[in-house]
Each structure stands twice: as C-alpha cells, then as structure tokens.
C-alpha cells in the first residue's frame, strides 16, 4: 500500500478571490474595528444638549414676563413688577370724551361758589352714573385767579408759598376734582361734587412701585333711597398703564371687577353696590392696573 498519497488538486484562485481574502485578512488584523459605530453617538448627545438649552430658555422666558418691554414708557422693563392676573371685568364705566357742549358744565362744577372763575380745565371724562338712567361728568381743573402760588428761587417753580385767595396752604396750587350728574333727578341724591386736590398729591409723580396716585373722589355717594352706594376716584397714572379695574368689598365679600378709564395720564375708577345702606356708610374698594399686553402691574 502506498501511504504517500498526493493531496487533492486545488484549482488556482482567481484575481477577485485573492483580493477578497486579502481584504478579510487586513480587516481582522486592524485594531479597534468597532470604533466606527461610536461615530454616531456624539452627534446625538450634542443635539439633545442643544434641545435642553432651548427648552430651558423657553421656560425661563415664559416664567419671567418682567423681562419684556412695556408699551408707552421708556422705563427699563426689568424694573417693572407684574402679577399673574388678567383683565376680566365685564362691566365698564367709560362713555368717552365729554361732549363739547357740556365742557362748560364741567368747568362750572369745578368752581367753588365764592370763586369768580372760570377755572382752567385740565382733564375730563364722560362716565356712567349712579343709576341706570343717569350719567356723570368728571374733571380736574385749576383756579387760575385765586391760586397764583409764590415760589422760592431755585426750586423749579414747584413749591408754593403761603395760601392765597382764601385757599388752605395744603391746596394753594388751586387744583380741584369735580363730578356732576345728569340728569339731576331727585333719586340721584347729590348731583354735584367739588373738592380740592392736595398740593402734595398733585406733585407726587407715579412710579413703577406706585403706578396710581389718588387725587380725589368719594367713597360714600348714595341714591336718595339709600339702595345704591357708590365709590369713585380720580388718579394720576403711570405711563404704561393701559387699563384699570376696581371692585368693592362689602362685609368682607368682594364684588365684580369693573373696568375704569385711563386717558391722558389720568385714570378714573368707579364701583357701586346695591342693598340697604345707612347714611354715612362708606364703600371700600380694591384697584388693580394692567399694561397694554394685559399683564398686571403690582401696585403698592
């Protein structure tokens, strides 16, 4: 027996097969063959990080409205303080500008009986009345004949001297607020009101912390039957305040929010409650203000 068998004949490799075997050998001997898969991990992490930053910015912006500007004022926006409430009043008091034919009536109402007049009208508005079939005219004026204040050199002409024309020294500038009701029917009770604006109040400019400065008004106006109690007030308003609302608080219970007036740097609010009241009773009110975007300004 011949034990020296010849190996089976192997056919020669083609050029393509030799190239394929060479590539396989080179691939197996190359270090770090799994690295290409990690090439996609870094971009995915990067996108997720950017997404987190953008989302965080949106949340911060949404929760920090005080970083937005306020219409009508050049005051740096970050100094303004905002609340979370939105305007919700369904009742409004504004009836527009006072008709030209009735301006003289406002001027007359803004004079005291002993004054020669006429007063200089500073601001006026037509508003709802104390009863369903009445309206009212409100105004601010200045007695130019009886209140020409003396000034101290160097004070910019703002500080008055002693009272003149019989005016108290605390109101020697001669500014006053007034209200006249129309039609003057018997059930309206008082048909006209005039009062002096304190000099200190008139000189006080609104600020971002005190957006409304009260100039005058009443908290205890009645109809003759004592079934309607009314409170109203005129303010100097901070530029940037676009809307004011007020509500009464009676026996610890608040009434509905009522939309007031903001016009020409002044504001007017009015509320009225129905029930059975006693003469001399007063109506407590709460007031809030909003900018042109409906954001509430925190008033102190």
């Amino acid at each position: 027996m011949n034990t020296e068998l010849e190996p089976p004949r192997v056919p020669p490799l083609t050029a393509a097969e030799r190239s394929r075997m060479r590539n396989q050998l080179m691939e197996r001997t190359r270090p770090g063959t799994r690295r290409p898969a990690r090439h996609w991990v870094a971009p995915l992490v990067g996108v997720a990080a950017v997404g987190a930053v953008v989302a965080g910015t949106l949340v911060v912006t949404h929760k920090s409205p005080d970083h937005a500007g306020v219409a009508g004022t050049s005051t740096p926006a970050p100094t303004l303080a905002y609340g979370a409430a939105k305007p919700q009043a369904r009742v409004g008091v504004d009836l527009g500008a006072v008709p030209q034919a009735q301006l003289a009536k406002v001027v007359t109402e803004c004079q005291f009986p002993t004054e020669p007049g006429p007063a200089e009208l500073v601001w006026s508005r037509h508003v709802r009345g104390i009863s369903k079939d009445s309206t009212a005219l409100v105004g601010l004026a200045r007695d130019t004949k009886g209140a020409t204040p003396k000034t101290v050199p160097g004070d910019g002409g703002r500080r008055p001297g002693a009272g003149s024309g019989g005016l108290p020294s605390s109101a020697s500038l001669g500014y006053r607020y007034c209200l006249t009701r129309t039609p003057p029917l018997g059930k309206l009770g008082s048909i006209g009101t005039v009062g002096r604006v304190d000099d200190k109040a008139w000189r006080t400019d609104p600020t971002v912390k005190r957006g409304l400065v009260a100039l005058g008004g009443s908290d205890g106006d009645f109809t003759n039957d004592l079934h309607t109690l009314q409170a109203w007030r005129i303010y100097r308003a901070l530029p940037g305040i676009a809307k004011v609302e007020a509500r009464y608080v009676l026996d610890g219970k608040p009434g509905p929010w009522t939309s007031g007036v903001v016009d020409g740097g002044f504001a007017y609010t009015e509320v009225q409650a129905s029930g059975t009241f006693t003469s001399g009773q007063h109506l407590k009110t709460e007031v809030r203000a909003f900018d042109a975007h409906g954001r509430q300004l925190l008033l102190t």
Side-chain angles (χ1 to χ4, degrees):
M1 180 181 293
N2 186 3
T3 57
E4 296 182 0
L5 298 177
E6 294 183 3
R9 185 177 181 180
V10 179
L13 297 175
T14 64
E17 290 174 333
R18 285 196 300 269
S19 176
R20 178 175 57 83
M21 292 181 65
R22 184 183 301 109
N23 291 339
Q24 288 177 348
L25 179 63
M26 294 296 295
E27 183 69 23
R28 290 176 182 176
T29 58
R30 182 180 299 153
T33 58
R34 305 296 294 178
R35 285 183 181 178
R38 297 180 59 183
H39 174 76
W40 300 103
V41 176
L44 290 175
V45 172
V47 172
V50 172
V53 171
V54 173
T57 302
L58 291 175
V59 171
V60 171
T61 303
H62 177 69
K63 291 185 178 180
S64 303
D66 54 328
H67 286 195
V70 177
T73 178
S74 59
T75 304
T79 64
L80 295 177
Y82 293 92
K86 294 290 183 180
Q88 63 180 33
R90 297 183 180 180
V91 179
V93 305
D94 190 18
L95 299 179
V98 174
Q100 188 69 29
Q102 293 186 294
L103 285 175
K105 185 176 182 180
V106 181
V107 172
T108 300
E109 194 62 46
C110 279
Q111 296 173 209
F112 289 94
T114 58
E115 293 174 348
E120 176 189 356
L121 190 62
V122 176
W123 179 84
S124 62
R125 202 70 179 177
H126 189 200
V127 296
R128 77 168 181 175
I130 195 172
S131 63
K132 293 181 180 180
D133 58 351
S134 71
T135 62
L137 306 175
V138 294
L140 289 166
R142 179 172 179 258
D143 176 23
T144 58
K145 294 185 177 181
T148 304
K150 300 177 182 179
T151 59
V152 177
D155 68 351
R158 292 173 61 91
R159 184 183 304 168
S164 59
L167 296 178
S169 59
S170 62
S172 59
L173 290 175
Y175 288 98
R176 64 280 312 280
Y177 61 91
C178 61
L179 177 145
T180 179
R181 307 184 196 281
T182 182
L185 302 178
K187 66 179 180 180
L188 295 183
S190 173
I191 63 172
T193 301
V194 59
R196 293 186 174 91
V197 177
D198 187 81
D199 291 343
K200 182 179 179 181
W202 185 262
R203 291 196 194 96
T204 301
D205 294 325
T207 66
V208 293
K209 293 184 178 180
R210 188 184 181 188
L212 296 173
V213 178
L215 300 177
S218 173
D219 296 325
D221 285 359
F222 294 89
T223 52
N224 273 346
D225 58 11
L226 299 180
H227 286 171
T228 301
L229 176 58
Q230 183 189 53
W232 58 273
R233 198 160 302 278
I234 300 176
Y235 303 86
R236 190 192 299 278
L238 178 73
I241 291 181
K243 184 180 181 65
V244 292
E245 292 182 349
R247 67 179 179 181
Y248 65 81
V249 179
L250 188 62
D251 297 328
K253 297 180 180 180
W257 287 107
T258 301
S259 180
V261 179
V262 179
D263 172 67
F266 298 96
Y268 171 83
T269 60
E270 184 266 350
V271 294
Q272 49 188 261
S274 300
T276 301
F277 303 102
T278 59
S279 180
Q281 189 170 349
H282 292 274
L283 195 60
K284 179 182 177 182
T285 61
E286 296 178 343
V287 179
R288 62 186 188 179
F290 301 87
D291 70 5
H293 302 287
R295 297 174 299 188
Q296 184 184 10
L297 281 75
L298 298 180
L299 305 177
T300 58

